[in-house]
Amino acid sequence: SCQLCPKNTFSISGATDINGCENCPAGGHSQPGSGYCDQCLTGKYYDEPTNSCQLCPKNTFSISGATDINGCENCPAGGHSQPGSGYCDQCLTGKYYDEPTNSCQLCPK
């Protein structure tokens, strides 16, 4: 009987045995029995337990999709971002980043 290729592998034309299931390329993932692999998009990372892409947390970013949460890079000093960002914003001169409101506020006089 036919068996599904395991998760994170794929078979385009159907494999004759488990050895015909090819591994997804670095950063790729798939559901069991897939004919292709997915890549996480900008601002997301691959989460192994859920076998899906998740948003990078706030104040982190991923330019091209990360292979795990450690690939979501921290914003540099003074930078901030919303969850799922591909870049960090900087506050303009005369403003500072306010963590509770996740926004730039005017500096006190």
Side-chain angles (χ1 to χ4, degrees), residues 10-106:
F10 69 101
S11 171
I12 295 173
S13 59
T16 56
D17 61 27
I18 192 79
N19 296 320
C21 299
E22 298 183 47
N23 290 326
C24 290
H29 62 279
S30 69
Q31 298 296 324
S34 286
Y36 60 92
C37 295
D38 287 321
Q39 296 280 128
C40 294
L41 301 175
T42 298
K44 295 184 176 186
Y45 70 93
Y46 174 65
D47 181 56
E48 174 69 33
T50 62
N51 196 36
S52 64
C53 295
Q54 302 293 321
L55 295 178
C56 286
K58 89 173 182 176
N59 298 329
T60 67
F61 69 100
S62 166
I63 294 173
S64 60
T67 56
D68 59 33
I69 194 165
N70 295 320
C72 296
E73 300 178 51
N74 290 323
C75 290
H80 61 279
S81 69
Q82 297 294 324
S85 291
Y87 60 91
C88 295
D89 288 318
Q90 295 285 330
C91 294
L92 300 175
T93 302
K95 294 186 175 188
Y96 71 96
Y97 175 67
D98 182 57
E99 176 73 32
T101 62
N102 196 36
S103 65
C104 294
Q105 303 291 322
L106 286 172

